Amino acid sequence: MRPVTLPRSARLVVAALSLLLAARCRADSGSTSLAERVIWAVNSGGDAHTDVHGVQYRKDPLEGRVGKASDYGMRLPILRSSPEDQVLYQTERYNEDTFGYEVPVRDEGEYILVLKFAEVYFAQSQQKCQENSPSPKHSAMVFDVRLNGHVVVKDLDIFDRVGHSTAHDEIVPFSIKRGKLSVQGEVSTFNGKLTVDFIKGYYDNPKVCALYVMKGKPEDVPKLQPHPGLEKRDEEEEEEEDAETSEDSVKKSASTAPKNPVRSGPRTPNPYAADNSSLINVARAPNKKTINMSSQSSRNETSAAVNGQEPAAGSRERKHGGGVLKRLKSRRNPERRPVTEDELRAVGKNITPEEVLGLRAVTRDYLCKPEDNVYNIDFTRFKIRDLETGTVLFEIAKPPHCDLDEEDEESVDMDTSAGRFVRYQFTPAFLKLRTVGATVEFTVGEKPVNSFRMIERHYFQDRLLKNFDFDFGFCIPNSRNTCEHIYEFPQLPEDLICQMVEHPYETRSDSFYFVDNKLIMHNKADYAYNGGQ
């Protein structure tokens, strides 16, 4: 039987019907591609780009009109993003005031707003740009995002969420029906345009790296690549929240005061503006070869803080275990079974945080060796400031290149405490401070650092004064990291303060550093509070 040959016009009709049927089947099965669902996309601060899903991001329409574009992040790899699409997080638009985009939307239905961010500039959360910074002012730390006047992202702190040079997406579902926009339980009249605004906040300038609007539901948005450090942090936070639920419910009825009151009015006057050495005279080691660090004046930084260029502390409470570059508050620890130093030595190299929390006296010697620091963690800068006034009290930095002669090298080889002991001398006024921030800068070697944690225990004449427990989180290999520990000092009775002043260097501390719950570093310090007397 001979095959039937259709006329050319008939073949065209059949082909068209086949294409329409295939498109209808795709729509019915929900298999419409992401590129087909996206109705508007822009690469903020950058050029046009087509991502791995076929989404076409247009060049920033605000170029030359509003704000400033920055490609500062082009020098950095962006974690959690595919190599092909890192450019979406490496460029950004920021502004010194509120700014935004208008997106036309014609059809009713369910939509998703996807906002893309990455922090590529600041080195800790809630950080403001300094006027005398050598780098351009171009980034933001804490700001809101509004959609047609509705706050859809509140107090976004990119660093607090994911850390440095790491992709972060905010996903905002909304719907448009019968001339009304509904988002996060709020409804307003819709006139055919979405207005996405990035709101200027206290902590410097708002920013965005890229954004798009698509039809669909949150589960239709492609997920970012996994990040071991963030996944571990989320698990730890969930466990911590579960453990604190019962305690919080008991405390809730005890007080109706807000947990995080907003500060208003002028900053507290700086009582140390005339002389920033009034609290601390020296910070030195008994043998200068021990730490080989240099002290430097910080009057300029003190002046900057007093003039309001640095944010007041405590405006937002942080959860523990976040990115390493952030402001860290000490976690609470339950009472532990008492343990002696000799018992810990019998444990060997597997000393855990729970075990050192049981110590009731300062250690006589170190509980680990310098070579146990297999991650090559090196502390390069240390700064102390009074958080209530912003006064920088002290700063020391390790010289960038330390050239030792043969005699120095031999001494370092023989001195097993090299770089592990510091002696401080403060004035008595230091003991009256309530909240102090200690900013540390450190580098990491070629190995990734998981669950980096520090436990610091302070004693006076073998009496435990305070325990501080900080989670650095995850540190990427070959990175330079900065964070600020928030020390909330207990209010000491006057007779104890007098004893601490009269007995210099009988106040001591142990600092234990753990990676994956294994002790890798142990540093010691002692303190005198009779400076200037």
Side-chain angles (χ1 to χ4, degrees):
M1 184 174 181
R2 296 179 61 185
V4 178
T5 302
L6 295 176
R8 182 174 183 274
S9 59
R11 292 199 304 271
L12 292 176
V13 171
V14 171
L17 289 174
S18 299
L19 290 174
L20 289 174
L21 182 60
R24 179 63 181 271
C25 290
R26 287 199 303 270
D28 292 342
S29 64
S31 61
T32 306
S33 69
L34 180 67
E36 293 173 309
R37 295 185 181 206
V38 172
I39 65 171
W40 187 90
V42 63
N43 181 21
S44 299
D47 295 327
H49 174 75
T50 302
D51 72 6
V52 295
H53 304 286
V55 176
Q56 296 180 355
Y57 291 79
R58 67 181 66 185
K59 182 178 180 179
D60 195 341
L62 298 184
E63 181 63 33
R65 296 172 49 210
V66 179
K68 298 177 182 179
S70 172
D71 61 356
Y72 189 84
M74 294 296 288
R75 69 193 70 187
L76 299 172
I78 304 298
L79 300 178
R80 304 180 74 197
S81 175
S82 63
E84 299 87 349
D85 293 335
Q86 291 194 18
V87 67
L88 293 174
Y89 299 93
Q90 291 170 325
T91 62
E92 64 184 40
R93 179 161 298 280
Y94 68 96
N95 193 29
E96 296 180 2
D97 202 349
T98 296
F99 76 102
Y101 297 85
E102 285 191 351
V103 184
V105 179
R106 299 177 181 177
D107 302 327
E108 294 187 346
E110 303 290 331
Y111 289 90
I112 302 292
L113 169 64
V114 179
L115 305 166
K116 294 182 175 293
F117 302 94
E119 185 50 74
V120 296
Y121 178 63
F122 283 114
Q124 66 186 57
S125 63
Q126 290 191 340
Q127 184 176 353
K128 291 178 68 177
C129 278
Q130 302 295 321
E131 297 295 338
N132 58 354
S133 172
S135 300
K137 179 191 282 190
H138 69 6
S139 195
M141 293 316 300
V142 182
F143 57 92
D144 297 344
V145 181
R146 292 179 186 167
L147 181 63
N148 284 37
H150 304 280
V151 177
V152 293
V153 180
K154 180 68 174 175
D155 290 338
L156 175 61
D157 187 333
I158 305 165
F159 227 117
D160 182 56
R161 301 287 180 90
V162 296
H164 193 264
S165 59
T166 303
H168 173 66
D169 289 357
E170 288 284 341
I171 299 173
V172 182
F174 65 94
S175 65
I176 300 173
K177 295 180 180 178
R178 299 178 181 177
K180 299 291 184 181
L181 181 144
S182 301
V183 59
Q184 296 183 357
E186 300 180 359
V187 181
S188 62
T189 301
F190 183 68
N191 61 3
K193 288 185 179 180
L194 288 176
T195 303
V196 184
D197 289 320
F198 302 89
I199 309 302
K200 167 78 172 182
Y202 177 79
Y203 293 99
D204 212 70
N205 304 323
K207 62 172 270 186
V208 65
C209 294
L211 65 155
Y212 65 82
V213 176
M214 62 172 285
K215 294 182 178 181
K217 299 180 180 180
E219 54 266 28
D220 300 325
V221 179
K223 301 296 188 296
L224 292 171
Q225 294 181 2
H227 187 301
L230 294 177
E231 291 176 354
K232 192 171 185 65
R233 177 188 74 174
D234 293 339
E235 294 173 0
E236 292 173 351
E237 287 180 352
E238 289 177 2
E239 293 175 358
E240 182 179 322
E241 288 174 357
D242 293 340
E244 293 180 355
T245 299
S246 58
E247 181 180 351
D248 291 341
S249 62
V250 174
K251 290 183 177 180
K252 187 177 294 184
S253 60
S255 173
T256 58
K259 186 175 182 181
N260 296 310
V262 178
R263 299 188 178 187
S264 61
R267 295 173 61 89
T268 304
N270 177 16
Y272 315 112
D275 182 5
N276 74 317
S277 64
S278 61
L279 288 181
I280 177 170
N281 284 347
V282 295
R284 57 184 175 82
N287 181 343
K288 67 179 182 179
K289 292 181 181 179
T290 303
I291 59 172
N292 198 19
M293 285 187 166
S294 60
S295 175
Q296 61 185 36
S297 171
S298 55
R299 293 183 185 272
N300 291 337
E301 292 193 31
T302 302
S303 176
V306 173
N307 290 332
Q309 296 174 11
E310 196 156 3
S315 59
R316 282 213 302 154
E317 187 169 343
R318 300 284 180 232
K319 289 185 177 182
H320 312 301
V324 66
L325 301 172
K326 61 180 292 186
R327 178 171 292 176
L328 304 175
K329 287 192 174 183
S330 176
R331 67 160 72 182
R332 296 189 299 269
N333 294 114
E335 191 70 19
R336 306 288 180 176
R337 181 186 68 84
V339 65
T340 66
E341 180 179 348
D342 292 335
E343 288 175 331
L344 291 187
R345 292 192 183 284
V347 173
K349 292 186 177 182
N350 296 316
I351 298 175
T352 66
E354 289 68 27
E355 288 168 329
V356 302
L357 287 170
L359 287 169
R360 293 297 181 265
V362 69
T363 59
R364 302 182 304 274
D365 202 351
Y366 297 94
L367 296 182
C368 65
K369 300 177 181 179
E371 52 266 31
D372 292 331
N373 179 16
V374 296
Y375 301 90
N376 293 322
I377 298 171
D378 184 23
F379 292 93
T380 57
R381 184 178 295 274
F382 180 64
K383 179 176 71 174
I384 301 175
R385 67 187 183 109
D386 176 12
L387 290 183
E388 292 191 356
T389 64
T391 304
V392 176
L393 307 174
F394 177 67
E395 183 170 4
I396 55 176
K398 189 174 184 179
H401 299 287
C402 299
D403 296 327
L404 302 178
D405 54 29
E406 294 182 359
E407 181 181 353
D408 289 332
E409 292 178 353
E410 292 177 358
S411 298
V412 170
D413 290 339
M414 294 175 60
D415 185 2
T416 59
S417 66
R420 308 173 74 187
F421 177 80
V422 181
R423 168 161 288 180
Y424 296 97
Q425 186 174 13
F426 297 96
T427 68
F430 190 89
L431 294 172
K432 301 293 183 67
L433 297 179
R434 294 180 177 271
T435 309
V436 169
T439 301
V440 294
E441 180 182 280
F442 62 95
T443 58
V444 172
E446 297 181 353
K447 293 184 177 182
V449 177
N450 294 304
S451 302
F452 189 24
R453 178 178 176 183
M454 179 187 77
I455 296 176
E456 188 171 293
R457 296 172 70 79
H458 290 251
Y459 304 86
F460 173 66
Q461 295 180 341
D462 287 340
R463 168 185 173 180
L464 180 63
L465 298 175
K466 183 70 175 179
N467 180 85
F468 299 98
D469 192 343
F470 301 103
D471 286 322
F472 293 84
F474 173 79
C475 304
I476 64 176
N478 300 311
S479 61
R480 181 177 295 273
N481 308 278
T482 305
C483 66
E484 183 174 54
H485 303 121
I486 307 302
Y487 289 87
E488 295 178 348
F489 290 155
Q491 297 305 294
L492 303 175
E494 287 296 329
D495 58 339
L496 179 57
I497 291 178
C498 291
Q499 292 182 49
M500 295 171 69
V501 173
E502 293 172 357
H503 297 83
Y505 306 120
E506 293 188 26
T507 304
R508 303 180 179 91
S509 68
D510 285 307
S511 298
F512 303 99
Y513 297 87
F514 300 86
V515 173
D516 281 334
N517 290 324
K518 180 180 179 181
L519 182 65
I520 65 160
M521 286 192 295
H522 178 192
N523 295 340
K524 302 172 72 67
D526 61 18
Y527 310 80
Y529 299 100
N530 61 349
Q533 295 186 354

